[in-house]
Amino acid sequence: MRIQEIRDAVAPIASPIRNAFIDFSRMTISVVAIVTDVQRNGEQIIGYGFHSNGRYAQQGILRSRLLPRLAEAEPESLLDATGENFDPQKIWRCFMHNEKPGGHGDRAVAAGALDMAVWDVIAKVAEQPLWRLLSDRYNDGRYDDEIVVYPGGGYYYPGKEIEGLKDEMRRYDEAGYRVAKMKIGGADIATDQARIEGALEVLGDGQRLAVDANGKFDLPTAIDYARMLEPYDLFWYEEPGDPIDYALQAELARHYDLSMATGENLFSTQDVCNLIQFGGMRPDRDWIQADPALAYGLTEYLNLIAATERLGWPRRRLMPHGGHQLALNIAAGLQIGGTESYPAVFQPYGGFADDIPIIDGRVRLPDAPGIGMERKPVMFDALRKALELTG
């Protein structure tokens, strides 16, 4: 049993949208395929991975550092104790060998894409869907039949801000979502308030709407928005300030009693622990959104869950960013709070498998080996084309 080849490529996910900080007109991701010599049902096992939106492709780090280390490793050193499957921790330690602590960012993103492909391989070799493998190995066989999901969206629509936003919220409502998210901070506060009220004309209850500032605000602006938002009783107020400005987050918690969410731009377990210890996060109402596909992968996310639970943070208050099937499998098999979806943007990589309907804001998982990318043919075909895999 061995890895025969690892391929990587840059794939476009450009969208004509913007949030409070960036536009996505040139956004790219890294896609990865791990080709093994293992066969199941007459087919060669290949694991696929990619990282989440918002961070550009990391081809340089993959090709100059992470992938060569795996290529140089003895094949047996990457196997588990049985010799019948690969060991994710051994593989992770191999590609992260000789990397100094700290400096989390693009390196964590590259590792996230590669680690996703590793887990896809491992679950396929085991002939299990990833969520079931995680349940059996790390959660005493427990899992969730249904997973809470919400669509990330509500971007700015130049020239048709209110009507474009209302149309988008209407599509999410008709698709079966109970909670939807929209952007704030890319306009003045009065315009954003009008946009929120437009979204609520469609969704109704404030608990059906979350807002996301994408780290735009200084403390006075974050407090001004908090005062504007509080009467609407929204599902959450997300990432008001810089991701590592824990003092801002802690002070804002003194001014806003309702739920807040942050963490999608924290790329290590230590950063998330610092958020819990110094950021004023409240485990009874707030949410942590660390994204395994941006933060060293599922292998590190297992460490993150354990570390945050030691600090008294319940795993049900973890809600990963990213809108990918990896987080969906994690949510089911490890029983965290749920996950984001991207049914309308960052295509073809956003969203879940085609045969997963949204019913009352929840989804069930197909019983297919691996992460399940093959169940979204448009995405799967794009992956294979980008990686020049034919047949």
Side-chain angles (χ1 to χ4, degrees):
M1 175 177 290
R2 63 188 301 146
I3 295 172
Q4 290 186 330
E5 178 187 9
I6 303 179
R7 297 190 182 193
D8 75 290
V10 175
I13 53 168
S15 299
I17 56 177
R18 69 177 179 90
N19 62 30
F21 243 117
I22 64 171
D23 70 70
F24 294 85
S25 59
R26 299 187 178 184
M27 187 58 59
T28 58
I29 57 172
S30 286
V31 294
V32 178
I34 297 178
V35 182
T36 76
D37 64 353
V38 184
Q39 292 205 353
R40 290 288 184 270
N41 302 315
E43 293 189 3
Q44 188 175 27
I45 288 182
I46 302 175
Y48 299 93
F50 58 89
H51 63 75
S52 297
N53 69 82
R55 300 284 162 174
Y56 296 92
Q58 306 300 325
Q59 200 165 37
I61 294 174
L62 284 164
R63 292 190 172 186
S64 66
R65 286 150 56 187
L66 307 191
L67 299 187
R69 292 170 186 151
L70 288 179
E72 293 164 4
E74 291 294 330
E76 295 77 13
S77 70
L78 305 179
L79 303 182
D80 64 16
T82 70
E84 297 177 355
N85 206 334
F86 298 94
D87 186 310
Q89 282 78 25
K90 288 180 179 178
I91 292 177
W92 195 93
R93 287 194 297 269
C94 177
F95 67 66
M96 285 296 296
H97 175 70
N98 227 27
E99 295 284 337
K100 290 180 68 176
H104 312 294
D106 286 351
R107 177 181 66 184
V109 175
L114 178 54
D115 189 74
M116 186 188 293
V118 170
W119 282 97
D120 194 34
V121 163
I122 289 169
K124 286 173 177 174
V125 171
E127 299 185 272
Q128 289 183 301
L130 179 58
W131 62 265
R132 187 174 294 279
L133 183 142
L134 294 175
S135 168
D136 291 345
R137 289 191 181 186
Y138 303 105
N139 201 29
D140 296 324
R142 299 186 302 270
Y143 59 87
D144 287 341
D145 287 316
E146 297 179 334
I147 304 93
V148 173
V149 294
Y150 72 92
Y155 292 85
Y156 287 89
Y157 291 85
K160 52 175 184 176
E161 287 295 354
I162 305 298
E163 291 309 311
L165 180 64
K166 288 170 68 174
D167 288 344
E168 183 182 357
M169 294 296 126
R170 195 170 290 112
R171 289 192 295 271
Y172 295 146
D173 183 56
E174 292 170 352
Y177 290 100
R178 292 295 302 158
V179 176
K181 188 169 78 176
M182 61 172 281
K183 301 301 183 180
I184 59 173
D188 60 78
I189 192 168
T191 299
D192 276 340
Q193 184 170 10
R195 294 173 67 250
I196 289 167
E197 290 181 350
L200 289 176
E201 285 181 28
V202 176
L203 299 176
D205 193 318
Q207 282 294 299
R208 297 194 64 198
L209 181 66
V211 295
D212 180 5
N214 290 108
K216 179 68 177 291
F217 300 148
D218 59 16
L219 180 59
T221 307
I223 293 173
D224 287 344
Y225 266 80
R227 290 170 177 157
M228 181 271 286
L229 294 172
E230 196 149 23
Y232 295 106
D233 188 27
L234 300 181
F235 190 74
W236 72 46
Y237 176 14
E238 179 177 338
E239 203 174 38
D242 186 280
I244 57 173
D245 191 343
Y246 305 127
L248 181 153
Q249 187 71 36
E251 179 61 26
L252 183 60
R254 299 186 181 98
H255 298 266
Y256 190 73
D257 289 334
L258 304 177
S259 295
M260 290 191 284
T262 192
E264 73 178 68
N265 290 302
L266 299 181
F267 300 143
S268 74
T269 295
Q270 186 60 60
D271 284 335
V272 172
C273 289
N274 288 344
L275 173 66
I276 291 171
Q277 294 177 95
F278 308 114
M281 297 294 282
R282 303 155 300 187
D284 64 324
R285 74 197 79 169
D286 293 336
W287 302 87
I288 292 177
Q289 300 168 296
D291 183 341
L294 294 178
Y296 293 109
L298 166 55
T299 304
E300 179 62 10
Y301 200 77
L302 293 167
N303 297 329
L304 184 151
I305 291 173
T308 56
E309 287 187 325
R310 286 194 295 271
L311 292 173
W313 193 270
R315 67 175 62 187
R316 288 293 190 186
R317 305 305 292 186
L318 301 175
M319 181 84 80
H321 160 273
H324 45 71
Q325 289 166 289
L326 174 66
L328 190 65
N329 278 273
I330 292 171
L334 300 179
Q335 296 184 296
I336 61 174
T339 188
E340 189 172 23
S341 174
Y342 282 115
V345 292
F346 309 122
Q347 296 303 312
Y349 297 94
F352 307 137
D354 291 353
D355 55 354
I356 299 181
I358 311 297
I359 301 174
D360 197 27
R362 297 172 180 267
V363 299
R364 290 180 176 269
L365 289 177
D367 201 23
I371 291 174
M373 296 184 203
E374 293 83 353
R375 305 295 280 268
K376 190 178 183 188
V378 172
M379 180 183 76
F380 187 61
D381 291 346
L383 261 174
R384 289 181 60 84
K385 182 178 180 180
L387 293 161
E388 297 182 351
L389 289 165
T390 59

